[in-house]
Amino acid sequence: MLVVLSVLWLALAPVAQAGQVYRWTDADGITHYGDQPPRKADAEVSTIPVYVEPTAIARMRIEPVGDRYHVWADNRLPGPIEVMLDFTRHNNTVGNPMLPARATVAADGSALVAVLRAREPAQPVSFELRMDSLPGNPSAAPQDVQYQLPLQLAALPGSGPRIDQGYGGRFSHRDPENRYAVDFATPIGTPVLAARDGVVMQVESGFDRTGLDRDKYGGRANFVRILHDDGAMTLYAHLKPGGVLVRVGQRVRGGQQIGLSGNTGFTTGPHLHFVVQVNRGMRLVSLPFRMGGPVGPLRIVDESPTPL
């Protein structure tokens, strides 16, 4: 049996590698480099920015087993993901289950997505595959909880947080992924806080560009994504270059500082983009949320002219 195969995988929400390198000199005069700052507070630390393209959140793996091909998805995140496998080209090849096929992959785990075989055993087989991946468990059932303000009040100008764009904002909150997002206007460098306990699922900190070209910058910005125990995920976006202060897999508490606000990606000015999201079957959707403010519940205006 002649076999020709190739693979293509696409991460809809990539994982970024370290965006900066730390350099410091110890008491003996020896210079050190690392992707985390030293624990000793008396060390003089400088940073070296490094621009690194994000990598896929999942890896596709094909294992020949007899006359069949087992297609696996390996999850690189410390939280669940969903993948969808499909042919981009195939000849005399069928899958079990039939493609496109979906699978949920546990944190740092692997899942068998499909088994491929020849439709006619005596004929040549060839195929190309594509695997899309998305963070979150599609079966998640988020609870109705009150989130904490994701910015340090003492660092905000005036009397408290100012919302530049609320639910359904015309500029960038009209798609399901951001329908219930909130943009907090804040100076660059404002401490960003976790709005709830959770595990850091994704980060990007090495992006240093901004602009109003949606095609060029719409999918890129420095961010932190936190997974919560009920499967909901909070996203803190447009952080400054090098403004991520946590690492993937780290457990954080509500109110803990996780980053510094900035102005990266598709944006008109410095702000923090905050949104609660859940995976609903290979698509991220945003959820309305309750949030505590400095003098009671935060009032979020729905700017949509008509319900979406």
Side-chain angles (χ1 to χ4, degrees), residues 22-85:
Y22 296 91
R23 178 177 58 198
W24 67 94
T25 303
D26 63 22
D28 297 324
I30 300 174
T31 300
H32 301 264
Y33 296 85
D35 61 359
Q36 297 290 328
R39 295 185 178 182
K40 291 185 177 180
D42 58 349
E44 184 176 345
V45 182
S46 60
T47 59
I48 305 171
V50 179
Y51 181 72
V52 182
E53 286 292 338
T55 57
I57 69 175
R59 180 174 70 98
M60 178 163 52
R61 179 164 43 92
I62 301 176
E63 292 184 351
V65 180
D67 60 353
R68 305 190 177 212
Y69 298 89
H70 291 200
V71 185
W72 293 80
D74 298 327
N75 181 6
R76 297 178 174 180
L77 298 186
I81 65 171
E82 184 181 21
V83 299
M84 183 168 67
L85 180 72

Side-chain angles (χ1 to χ4, degrees), residues 167-169 172-181 214 273-280 282-288 304 308:
Y167 293 169
S172 60
H173 294 178
R174 302 308 304 273
D175 60 304
E177 190 171 339
N178 297 289
R179 165 70 173 87
Y180 293 107
R214 186 184 296 269
H273 177 90
F274 175 85
V275 63
V276 180
Q277 296 175 328
V278 67
N279 180 357
R280 282 295 177 250
M282 288 305 298
R283 64 187 185 100
L284 288 176
V285 299
S286 55
L287 302 176
S304 301
L308 295 180

Side-chain angles (χ1 to χ4, degrees), residues 240-305:
K240 66 179 294 187
V244 172
L245 304 181
V246 289
R247 65 184 184 278
V248 171
Q250 179 179 344
R251 183 84 186 180
V252 297
R253 304 178 310 277
Q256 178 179 337
Q257 185 174 356
I258 59 173
L260 296 168
S261 67
N263 186 36
T264 56
F266 182 59
T267 171
T268 60
H271 73 281
L272 175 70
H273 177 90
F274 175 85
V275 63
V276 180
Q277 296 175 328
V278 67
N279 180 357
R280 282 295 177 250
M282 288 305 298
R283 64 187 185 100
L284 288 176
V285 299
S286 55
L287 302 176
F289 59 88
R290 295 185 295 112
M291 177 172 282
V295 291
L298 195 68
R299 182 174 177 269
I300 303 173
V301 175
D302 192 329
E303 302 176 18
S304 301

